[in-house]
Amino acid sequence: MIPERLTALREEMKRRSIDIYVVPTADFHESEYVGEHFKARKFITGFTGSAGTAVITLKEAGLWTDGRYFVQAEKQLEGSTVTLYRMAEEGVPAVEEFVKDKLPQGGCIGFDGRTVNGAWGEKFAAIAEEKNGSLFVGEDLIDLIWTDRPELSRAPLFILEEKYSGKSTAEKIKDVRAKMAEEGADVHILTSLCDIAWLLNIRGGDIQSVPVVLSYLVLTRDQCIWFLQEEVVDDAIRAYLNENHIETRPYDDIYTYVPDIPESAVVLMNKSGVNYRICNELNKNIQVINKPNPTELMKAVKNPVEVDNTRLAHVKDGVAVTKFMYWLKTNIGKIPMTEISASDYLEARRREQENFIDLSFTTISAYGANAAMMHYSATSESNTVLKPESFLLVDSGGHYYEGTTDITRTFVLGPISDEMKQHFTAVCRSNMKLANAKFLYGACGLNLDILARGPLWDMEIDYKCGTGHGVGYILNVHEGPNGFRWKIVPERHDSGVLEEGMITTDEPGVYLEGKYGIRTENELVCRKAEKNEYGQFMEFENITYAPIDLDGIDPEQMSPREKQMLNDYHKKVYEVLSPYMTEEENEWLKKYTRAI
């Protein structure tokens, strides 16, 4: 199937004299996850992961993806004629390097200008110019060969009340306009779906597990124009928009609006987020201030209402996960279980919780060797039967009106080897060391990542991903600019200063291909500690409440301080969750939160 699709694409390339065609994993908004309509890279390669770029020449095809997906991609590309390029591995060229090497003199690079951001598009333009070539960006060639392509989503909208958002839309717009004034900008072009949803206090459902609305927004000193599929605006939403002086226009009208922005205007936008077509259609004389959207930091720093609400969301989520753990641990080997049936049971426990909206991402339920694939997703073909042995890794989360959760627990289902216990204990130590960090204000995740990675590096083990990411508020579960990572990865944009109110995950792990995977993930909210002559100290509050499976812990491998950190955490877990559990569950919970 994939070879036939590649042949059809190459025929379209030949008709337009295109030598290389780039297909990213992107919608028109640089969203991390995309709706079904936008899964062009999946269509042309067969690889289903959430990150990757396909590059097709008239003779070759390649897929670039990161370490989270190496194992998965290798399996899914088998027989496709698509070559896997493992990003950041020694000797592997970057996409731009490959394109530059393969582009002939006078050649043409093609891509849908709406799915490549402005900054990246400029790199391709520079390559084409160097080779005396050209770009072809005005047409989506995949659309020509994808005959049964899904339509654009038009999901219903809902207003996020101020008791949940903590700040009105009018106040947020006023704050953004103040930032525009500081920069001397007349116009702000905003295309990030999460930023738009946060600014307007409106949520939708146009991307699975990401409650956003396909739209663009332009803010001037006296206008707020929202470009969207207007048929989704009902009477209640229309009244709300009118109240906040927000004008709507059709979704695609952004492409006729942008060329008409006067050349005297000063435009604020983030070229790494705004698509190449919008960037390219601005009048060339316009002054562009290329900076991160002001909303990025505003939404990353949760206000006190959002922080308090998120704690409540984690109580509900902790109840669901712990009831699942009780069911799993007490029934394994007694009743039939599979990766999918376990995932379904956990989802049912979440849906029982008040104000539950949806899962915050597709649950990863991975048994044994499957868990070595960081973003494994069980299918009817791969669905593995759970046995009373080895590990089950479950990475999951939910959206509640009170906030968004993301938690990973690795459960011991029966006998495990000494090596497995050693690795499980090391991951727990790593998690706790980071959660209990104290640091001076001005530090970012790069400064702290070693606390989590250190115990594993001591064993000459590493994990090919960051240690943690920011979490949105009923938005994308992955959010910048905060994160934990040992080196800067520019495209991840997660090396910002840790501010009070930011929520970041803490998720070290061990992944041994063909054997097992272990990950323990909690969410941490950054807050101020003491201030003295050395400056403002900062610390974290652990807001995830669920046991870390003590059946995998070897206390002999932990220092007294590490044991105390785990005991303090488990004491908190019991205090928070016990009021919501049955008598039998609480007896069990006492055992799994006992001091070691």
Side-chain angles (χ1 to χ4, degrees):
M1 184 184 297
I2 298 303
E4 288 78 11
R5 291 175 181 175
L6 288 167
T7 298
L9 176 61
R10 288 181 175 120
E11 288 302 314
E12 298 296 342
M13 291 167 62
K14 289 175 185 176
R15 291 189 184 100
R16 292 157 182 80
S17 300
I18 297 171
D19 297 280
I20 298 176
Y21 198 72
V22 180
V23 185
T25 304
D27 56 15
F28 305 154
H29 309 273
E30 283 294 297
S31 304
E32 180 183 14
Y33 301 113
V34 300
E36 293 301 317
H37 174 84
F38 295 102
K39 294 184 177 179
R41 189 229 59 223
K42 172 186 172 184
F43 173 83
I44 202 64
T45 66
F47 169 60
T48 62
S50 68
T53 299
V55 180
I56 296 92
T57 74
L58 296 176
K59 295 181 178 179
E60 301 175 63
L63 172 83
W64 278 252
T65 193
D66 61 54
R68 296 172 295 169
Y69 295 109
F70 289 168
V71 178
Q72 177 183 339
E74 188 171 6
K75 289 183 177 180
Q76 292 183 328
L77 295 181
E78 191 174 342
S80 69
T81 73
V82 179
T83 301
L84 173 61
Y85 289 87
R86 295 172 172 82
M87 292 170 62
E89 294 287 282
E90 187 175 349
V92 176
V95 168
E96 298 89 339
E97 294 171 331
F98 179 87
V99 169
K100 183 176 179 179
D101 179 59
K102 299 296 180 181
L103 185 68
Q105 282 293 326
C108 180
I109 304 169
F111 53 84
D112 181 353
R114 299 168 298 175
T115 62
V116 168
N117 68 60
W120 200 21
E122 287 177 356
K123 292 182 180 180
F124 289 126
I127 293 170
E129 184 177 2
E130 187 177 335
K131 294 284 187 84
N132 295 313
S134 60
L135 294 184
F136 184 97
V137 300
E139 192 174 14
D140 177 5
L141 299 194
I142 299 294
D143 196 54
L144 301 177
I145 63 172
W146 192 353
T147 54
D148 58 348
R149 188 172 196 167
E151 295 293 321
L152 286 175
S153 172
R154 294 173 177 83
L157 316 182
F158 65 95
I159 298 165
L160 194 66
E161 298 175 60
E162 201 170 329
K163 66 180 179 180
Y164 300 121
S165 71
K167 200 167 195 175
S168 71
T169 296
E171 290 177 288
K172 291 180 177 182
I173 290 175
K174 182 180 177 182
D175 289 345
V176 175
R177 283 188 170 130
K179 289 292 183 184
M180 290 170 59
E182 285 179 20
E183 298 288 353
D186 310 297
V187 180
H188 178 35
I189 298 176
L190 188 59
T191 65
S192 161
L193 301 184
C194 289
D195 290 56
I196 294 169
W198 177 87
L199 181 64
L200 301 184
N201 286 331
I202 290 179
R203 302 295 191 267
D206 284 337
I207 299 176
Q208 182 183 350
S209 301
V210 186
V212 293
V213 185
L214 285 174
S215 58
Y216 309 92
L217 188 137
V218 174
L219 192 63
T220 70
R221 293 174 181 178
D222 54 10
Q223 273 187 303
C224 182
I225 307 171
W226 195 20
F227 300 85
L228 78 163
Q229 299 174 97
E230 291 180 292
E231 57 266 40
V232 301
V233 179
D234 62 20
D235 291 343
I237 298 290
R238 178 64 64 191
Y240 173 80
L241 295 176
N242 290 340
E243 177 187 334
N244 286 283
H245 310 290
I246 298 165
E247 172 189 348
T248 66
R249 296 190 189 179
Y251 184 48
D252 287 331
D253 278 15
I254 185 71
Y255 297 103
T256 55
Y257 177 92
V258 167
D260 289 338
I261 296 174
E263 66 177 42
S264 59
V266 178
V267 174
L268 171 64
M269 66 179 187
N270 180 5
K271 285 188 178 182
S272 295
V274 177
N275 72 51
Y276 183 76
R277 182 170 163 187
I278 290 175
C279 295
N280 204 41
E281 290 186 357
L282 280 170
N283 186 297
K284 303 305 178 189
N285 295 320
I286 284 177
Q287 180 187 345
V288 174
I289 301 172
N290 180 23
K291 287 189 173 182
N293 302 321
T295 45
E296 180 185 66
L297 187 58
M298 292 176 181
K299 69 178 169 54
V301 177
K302 308 307 186 267
N303 62 50
V305 171
E306 290 173 317
V307 172
D308 287 344
N309 281 337
T310 302
R311 289 192 189 99
L312 295 176
H314 276 281
V315 174
K316 298 175 184 182
D317 211 61
V319 169
V321 171
T322 304
K323 284 181 177 288
F324 166 74
M325 181 179 177
Y326 168 77
W327 170 81
L328 179 72
K329 299 279 285 184
T330 55
N331 287 294
I332 185 68
K334 300 176 184 176
I335 62 174
M337 291 184 188
T338 65
E339 291 170 328
I340 291 177
S341 70
S343 175
D344 289 345
Y345 187 91
L346 174 55
E347 181 175 342
R349 303 291 74 75
R350 278 199 169 94
R351 292 190 180 278
E352 292 171 349
Q353 304 303 315
E354 185 181 12
N355 284 343
F356 176 83
I357 298 172
D358 194 6
L359 299 181
S360 55
F361 56 96
T362 301
T363 298
I364 297 169
S365 177
Y367 178 68
N370 290 339
M373 295 180 274
M374 294 183 203
H375 283 221
Y376 168 81
S377 182
T379 64
S380 55
E381 292 78 24
S382 69
N383 188 23
T384 303
V385 173
L386 307 187
K387 300 176 182 178
E389 61 188 35
S390 193
F391 293 131
L392 174 69
L393 185 155
V394 181
D395 188 350
S396 64
H399 292 300
Y400 305 81
Y401 279 98
E402 292 84 5
T404 294
T405 67
D406 184 2
I407 175 175
T408 307
R409 289 294 183 267
T410 305
F411 303 105
V412 180
L413 301 188
I416 57 174
S417 68
D418 290 343
E419 179 191 57
M420 294 167 81
K421 186 166 282 196
Q422 179 188 28
H423 289 159
F424 189 99
T425 304
V427 170
C428 176
R429 292 169 55 221
S430 295
N431 176 281
M432 289 291 142
K433 282 177 177 289
L434 179 55
N436 287 273
K438 186 165 283 190
F439 53 98
L440 278 167
Y441 175 75
C444 58
L446 288 167
N447 305 119
L448 303 180
D449 185 89
I450 185 62
L451 294 173
R453 217 170 284 259
L456 299 172
W457 279 3
D458 287 343
M459 301 165 66
E460 298 181 349
I461 293 174
D462 190 32
Y463 43 96
K464 294 181 181 292
C465 61
T467 298
H469 55 84
V471 180
Y473 188 89
I474 322 179
L475 291 168
N476 198 344
V477 75
H478 298 135
E479 178 181 270
N482 47 308
F484 299 117
R485 192 175 294 276
W486 72 272
K487 64 179 179 179
I488 292 177
V489 180
E491 62 269 21
R492 300 301 296 181
H493 192 58
D494 58 1
S495 301
V497 170
L498 293 164
E499 303 280 355
E500 183 175 39
M502 284 180 168
I503 296 175
T504 316
T505 65
D506 170 9
E507 46 181 310
V510 170
Y511 308 94
L512 302 182
E513 186 175 348
K515 297 177 72 175
Y516 54 82
I518 303 164
R519 180 162 65 252
T520 299
E521 176 186 20
N522 288 342
E523 286 185 28
L524 313 175
V525 60
C526 185
R527 64 187 187 187
K528 289 179 180 176
E530 66 274 7
K531 186 176 184 179
N532 58 26
E533 67 270 27
Y534 300 106
Q536 177 66 60
F537 280 87
M538 309 294 288
E539 63 187 4
F540 298 118
E541 175 191 347
N542 201 330
I543 56 172
T544 298
Y545 313 112
I548 295 170
D549 195 343
L550 290 175
D551 291 341
I553 296 292
D554 179 1
E556 296 300 315
Q557 297 180 29
M558 302 177 76
S559 70
R561 170 65 176 147
E562 290 167 346
K563 292 179 196 175
Q564 189 60 53
M565 289 189 292
L566 180 58
N567 290 342
D568 289 345
Y569 174 71
H570 273 153
K571 181 181 179 184
K572 180 71 171 178
V573 168
Y574 186 82
E575 290 172 354
V576 169
L577 299 184
S578 58
Y580 305 96
M581 312 298 281
T582 66
E583 185 176 341
E584 293 81 4
E585 288 167 339
N586 268 331
E587 282 303 308
W588 172 90
L589 185 58
K590 283 179 185 176
K591 175 185 174 184
Y592 278 93
T593 57
R594 69 189 183 275
I596 59 170

